[in-house]
């Protein structure tokens, strides 16, 4: 009997000793349609039924092995053991009660690792089973001969994961290539500083542009003016002297008038602008 070193050994008896030997040629993945740990699955098979799999897996990805992979297990109908002595290795995995949820990331990793070991230990070929008896990898509903009366197991979401993630990763790792599911450490997105590279003149010109825009006539203010123009009557005229400079600012500045206004309002931008005869506004 062969025991997977990555699993907790929880041997089922008398099945482990009494059931006939097989030559493993397939790996079939199941969902148990219950949110059970590998320990709870063992208890169920030990006390209630003889339709066991070789392995059980919890949501956290941990795996238990109940029967050696060279002994028949009975979860795969006609694939359990064929007349030529070949048979399937099977795993039951925790799921919701309708097996409609996807495998967790930890379950995916556990299935990939087990799949690689089965290739290395038993030579299961790196292909999806083309027929019910064809050596390779599959999931319970892939072939009718694997389930009495048919089944939806392991569910649509998990079938897609098998095709798109799990099986390609088994092939890659077993072939010595980087796994397409190698986890990466998430990093916080890098946000560009809108003030990066701003010179003092850029800041002054941006504020000048924003102030000029804010002093445009608005219907909310009696007379169509802006409160700032009423407080400093000469300010608008002084700004107008810089029309040519202001016209070029939108392409030059990295901050929009609204962004500058918000930055001034929340205190992240502090600028003093001096307007004096024969002088150019500067940032201090």
């Amino acid at each position: 009997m062969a025991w997977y070193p990555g699993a907790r050994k929880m041997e089922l008896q008398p099945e482990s000793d009494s059931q006939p030997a097989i030559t493993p040629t397939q790996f079939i993945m199941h969902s148990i349609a219950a949110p059970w740990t590998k320990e709870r699955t063992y208890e169920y098979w030990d006390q209630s039924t003889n339709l066991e799999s070789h392995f059980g897996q919890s949501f956290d990805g941990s795996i238990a092995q109940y029967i050696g992979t060279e002994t028949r297990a009975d979860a795969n109908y006609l694939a359990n053991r064929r007349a030529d002595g070949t048979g399937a290795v099977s795993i039951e995995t925790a799921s919701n009660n309708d097996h409609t949820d996807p495998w967790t990331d930890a379950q995916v990793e556990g299935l990939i690792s087990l799949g690689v070991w089965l290739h290395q230990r038993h030579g299961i070929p790196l292909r999806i089973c083309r027929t019910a008896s064809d050596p390779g990898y599959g999931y319970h509903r892939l072939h009718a001969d694997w389930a009495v009366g048919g089944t939806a197991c392991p569910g649509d979401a998990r079938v897609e994961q098998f095709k798109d993630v799990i099986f390609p990763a088994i092939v890659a790792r077993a072939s010595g290539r980087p796994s397409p599911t190698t986890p990466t450490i998430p990093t916080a997105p890098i946000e560009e500083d809108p003030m990066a590279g701003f010179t003092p003149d850029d800041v002054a010109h941006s504020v000048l542009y924003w102030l000029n825009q804010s002093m445009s006539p608005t219907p909310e203010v009696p007379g169509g003016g802006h409160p700032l123009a009423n407080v400093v009557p000469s300010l608008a005229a002084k700004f107008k002297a810089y029309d040519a400079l202001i016209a070029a600012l939108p392409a030059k500045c990295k901050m929009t008038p609204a962004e500058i206004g918000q930055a001034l309002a929340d205190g992240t931008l502090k600028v003093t602008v001096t307007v004096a005869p024969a002088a150019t506004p500067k940032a201090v």
Side-chain angles (χ1 to χ4, degrees):
M1 292 187 292
W3 296 89
Y4 174 46
R8 177 185 176 189
K9 186 176 180 180
M10 302 180 70
E11 192 170 7
L12 281 171
Q13 291 292 0
E15 293 87 350
S16 185
D17 288 339
S18 64
Q19 293 180 172
I22 62 169
T23 299
T25 59
Q26 297 172 321
F27 179 34
I28 301 176
M29 302 178 193
H30 300 243
S31 292
I32 201 168
W36 289 352
T37 64
K38 59 187 185 297
E39 292 81 9
R40 176 66 184 90
T41 300
Y42 169 81
E43 292 170 359
Y44 175 71
W45 282 333
D46 185 46
Q47 301 170 10
S48 306
T49 180
N50 59 358
L51 295 177
E52 74 288 324
S53 283
H54 292 90
F55 296 93
Q57 186 188 45
S58 306
F59 281 124
D60 65 5
S62 61
I63 294 174
Q65 184 171 357
Y66 312 117
I67 295 179
T69 52
E70 293 169 313
T71 299
R72 189 195 75 198
D74 295 325
N76 308 289
Y77 190 30
L78 298 182
N80 294 335
R81 188 180 188 275
R82 303 179 186 89
D84 63 0
T86 63
V89 174
S90 53
I91 185 169
E92 288 284 0
T93 60
S95 70
N96 63 24
N97 292 330
D98 301 311
H99 52 63
T100 56
D101 55 332
W103 279 302
T104 67
D105 290 345
Q107 285 178 307
V108 167
E109 178 59 33
L111 291 170
I112 293 168
S113 297
L114 176 56
V116 171
W117 179 80
L118 288 169
H119 169 74
Q120 295 170 340
R121 179 66 176 79
H122 297 300
I124 295 178
L126 298 172
R127 65 173 180 252
I128 296 175
C129 299
R130 298 164 293 187
T131 67
S133 59
D134 184 45
Y137 294 76
Y139 44 88
H140 196 194
R141 79 185 196 196
L142 181 60
H143 295 292
D145 282 355
W146 293 354
V148 178
T151 179
C153 172
D156 293 344
R158 297 186 176 196
V159 168
E160 291 305 310
Q161 285 177 297
F162 173 87
K163 294 177 179 178
D164 297 341
V165 179
I166 295 172
F167 180 69
I170 290 172
V171 174
R173 291 193 196 177
S175 304
R177 300 195 303 271
S179 169
T181 62
T182 299
T184 56
I185 300 174
T187 58
I190 299 175
E191 297 182 1
E192 181 181 355
D193 181 3
M195 296 295 291
F198 253 43
T199 67
D201 278 350
D202 289 334
V203 175
H205 295 163
S206 296
V207 175
L208 180 63
Y209 175 70
W210 171 72
L211 288 173
N212 184 72
Q213 292 296 106
S214 70
M215 289 176 61
S216 298
T218 59
E220 290 81 5
V221 178
H226 188 277
L228 183 60
N230 293 332
V231 174
V232 187
S234 63
L235 195 54
K238 293 181 182 295
F239 283 160
K240 294 301 181 183
Y242 297 95
D243 276 347
L245 174 62
I246 292 170
L249 283 174
K252 178 181 177 63
C253 294
K254 298 180 182 178
M255 296 177 72
T256 66
E259 290 171 335
I260 295 169
Q262 183 59 47
L264 288 169
D266 62 25
T268 57
L269 175 63
K270 298 182 184 297
V271 179
T272 299
V273 178
T274 302
V275 180
T280 301
K282 296 291 182 180
V284 178

